[in-house]
Amino acid sequence: MGKRSGETYHHGNLHETLIAAAIELIRDKGPNAFSLRELAKKAGVSHTAPYRHFKDKNALLAAIAETGFKTLTERTRNAAMQFDGNPKQQLIETGVAYVELALDNPEITLLMFGGFIDTEKCPKENLDSEADNAFQGLVNLIESGKQSGVFRNEETELLALATWSMVHGLAMLITGGQLCGIADEPDQVRNLSEKVESLLMEGILLR
Amino acid sequence: MGKRSGETYHHGNLHETLIAAAIELIRDKGPNAFSLRELAKKAGVSHTAPYRHFKDKNALLAAIAETGFKTLTERTRNAAMQFDGNPKQQLIETGVAYVELALDNPEITLLMFGGFIDTEKCPKENLDSEADNAFQGLVNLIESGKQSGVFRNEETELLALATWSMVHGLAMLITGGQLCGIADEPDQVRNLSEKVESLLMEGILLR
DNA sequence: ACATCAATGTTGGCAGTGTATACATAGATG
DNA sequence: CATCTATGTATACACTGCCAACATTGATGT
């Protein structure tokens, strides 16, 4: 008998509920101050119920980071799609999307890249399969840009890595609070992202 | 009278001892698994002794991050000094030093930039005074490079931010394990740093 | 020289944490 | 309808950060 959800012994879909509630908690209090017991209370279950769905706290955090990588892939892909056929603009918009996502979700971004999650050795397996997806989109974009003669004929992986480093660095500086006063508001961030990436395109050397 | 350090009731210089021991612990187990009580045991004092020297755990972490920023400033400045009069090389070596420091101290780097420390709002005060120092060195370097006609005549802060983002992003990707297999060994890292920064110099657009 | 004090260290305790173990419930399956 | 398995609960333990009360000591002033 299912009177109202929450009154039954079995929750129904604790798994997704936990992830959603955890994201909320992390948004509020940061990835550090996040506790499984508080999460369980928020979800209305006993404090050991989450262990039926996640091996341990780390696994839950990894699942959340995974969703973060998914939306990162989505958003950057969408941004690129809107300027199909214009690789330069695509690259810029991809970067802007990357940085803007970080600005929108600073705590989740820290969770994704801040070393909160123990990924044994090199995270080539589960978690970073998604991170690789985002990177792969960048690689494809650059490859096609090279073939249409927009980008230099350097190793594609290198060009992609440079671009990734640039936007990732900007994103992490912002979420880490290092750019307070310079990049607080969304329009500041977009403006900065565009300028910085233009520099990467044009180079900073005088010619 | 100081028979041997450790046998006296008063430790003598717990402050520095704690910081040093804490750095060791963090290196071993990461900034997340670091506990004050274990630190106290390692230092040979009771589990509340650290509170005589640091307001709370966060303050201790902040102090450690501070030392990290100090060595970052030192190392990058040294790297730049070795190529005085050659702004382009200076910029490259500064970046390499930045990334290499992160590779040498991944856990401390995560502590510095990974959002482990609660810095109230914008960390303009204590902690980031040092971070600003490192950035200021970069600004000076670029300013002089502009005046000697090596760098483009763009806003100095923007050029500096672009450079910083680039190396910071590369550093964080490495410490975050995102570049496993690509940048594990020191020589790989140096090589990658140089190439990536060269790209920033020359630009990635075909011309 | 001695009393006083502030700095530094210790003991004990509390609430909160992650997680292991044993038990309870209920939806699915034969 | 019996049984199995997935899911949730209760209890317990070691550990954590931190607070309050107390102990020790080197420095200070008279």
Side-chain angles (χ1 to χ4, degrees), chain A residues 151-169:
Chain A
F151 300 139
R152 301 175 62 184
N153 195 21
E154 293 277 350
E155 203 184 342
T156 302
E157 296 256 340
L158 181 64
L159 292 174
L161 180 56
T163 312
W164 192 19
S165 293
M166 173 112 269
V167 294
H168 184 67

Side-chain angles (χ1 to χ4, degrees), chain B residues 9-48:
Chain B
Y9 187 92
H10 280 9
H11 181 285
N13 61 345
L14 235 196
H15 192 97
E16 292 100 18
T17 301
L18 283 176
I19 291 188
I23 289 179
E24 264 191 59
L25 272 183
I26 292 177
R27 260 190 235 286
D28 283 356
K29 333 186 37 168
N32 242 341
F34 163 77
S35 99
L36 274 187
R37 289 173 105 110
E38 188 179 357
L39 170 64
K41 190 183 301 179
K42 184 184 173 83
V45 292
S46 76
H47 66 266
T48 51

Side-chain angles (χ1 to χ4, degrees), chain A residues 32 114 116 122-124 149-152 161-162 165-166 168-169 173 177 180 192 200-207, chain B residues 32 114 116 122-124 149-152 161-162 165-166 168-169 173 177 180 192 200-207:
Chain A
N32 242 341
F116 288 92
C122 295
K124 280 288 182 188
V150 179
F151 300 139
R152 301 175 62 184
L161 180 56
S165 293
M166 173 112 269
H168 184 67
L173 287 176
C180 260
L192 216 53
L200 175 59
M201 304 258 191
E202 308 284 350
I204 69 177
L205 289 186
L206 187 65
R207 59 189 76 242
Chain B
N32 242 341
F116 289 92
C122 296
K124 280 289 180 187
V150 178
F151 300 139
R152 301 174 63 183
L161 179 57
S165 293
M166 174 112 267
H168 184 67
L173 287 176
C180 261
L192 216 54
L200 175 58
M201 304 259 189
E202 309 283 350
I204 68 177
L205 290 187
L206 188 65
R207 60 191 70 244

Side-chain angles (χ1 to χ4, degrees), chain A residues 80-100:
Chain A
M81 277 197 317
Q82 289 182 324
F83 294 88
D84 211 17
N86 185 347
K88 183 180 167 183
Q89 191 71 19
Q90 276 185 309
L91 201 56
I92 289 185
E93 292 297 325
T94 298
V96 170
Y98 194 109
V99 178
E100 278 183 340

Side-chain angles (χ1 to χ4, degrees), chain A:
Chain A
M1 51 155 80
K3 311 181 164 195
R4 294 181 32 207
S5 78
E7 300 185 11
T8 57
Y9 188 93
H10 281 9
H11 181 285
N13 61 345
L14 235 197
H15 192 97
E16 291 100 15
T17 302
L18 284 176
I19 289 188
I23 290 179
E24 265 191 59
L25 273 182
I26 291 176
R27 260 191 234 286
D28 283 357
K29 333 186 41 166
N32 242 341
F34 163 77
S35 100
L36 274 187
R37 291 173 104 109
E38 188 179 357
L39 170 65
K41 191 183 300 179
K42 185 183 172 85
V45 293
S46 77
H47 67 267
T48 51
Y51 285 88
R52 298 296 151 189
H53 299 270
F54 302 95
K55 177 181 165 293
D56 54 16
K57 185 179 184 180
N58 195 65
L60 173 57
L61 293 181
I64 294 173
E66 178 85 13
T67 72
F69 285 115
K70 275 210 177 69
T71 69
L72 179 62
T73 306
E74 286 174 18
R75 282 227 216 170
T76 52
R77 178 161 29 213
N78 279 346
M81 277 197 317
Q82 289 182 324
F83 294 88
D84 211 17
N86 185 347
K88 183 180 167 183
Q89 191 71 19
Q90 276 185 309
L91 201 56
I92 289 185
E93 292 297 325
T94 298
V96 170
Y98 194 109
V99 178
E100 278 183 340
L101 179 59
L103 184 71
D104 288 348
N105 309 38
E107 296 85 6
I108 305 295
T109 301
L110 287 179
L111 175 65
M112 291 160 63
F113 296 105
F116 288 92
I117 302 170
D118 289 354
T119 36
E120 301 293 325
K121 14 171 36 188
C122 295
K124 280 288 182 188
E125 307 85 55
N126 357 342
L127 205 145
D128 268 40
S129 58
E130 264 306 325
D132 277 347
N133 280 350
F135 184 64
Q136 200 55 42
L138 191 57
V139 168
N140 296 339
L141 198 162
I142 287 183
E143 182 61 34
S144 80
K146 268 169 64 178
Q147 289 182 354
S148 56
V150 179
F151 300 139
R152 301 175 62 184
N153 195 21
E154 293 277 350
E155 203 184 342
T156 302
E157 296 256 340
L158 181 64
L159 292 174
L161 180 56
T163 312
W164 192 19
S165 293
M166 173 112 269
V167 294
H168 184 67
L170 187 55
M172 294 305 284
L173 287 176
I174 291 174
T175 64
Q178 257 78 31
L179 298 186
C180 260
I182 307 175
D184 306 306
E185 303 304 321
D187 47 347
Q188 283 179 306
V189 168
R190 164 168 270 275
N191 194 266
L192 216 53
S193 300
E194 290 175 351
K195 281 186 178 171
V196 159
E197 290 183 88
S198 285
L199 271 179
L200 175 59
M201 304 258 191
E202 308 284 350
I204 69 177
L205 289 186
L206 187 65
R207 59 189 76 242

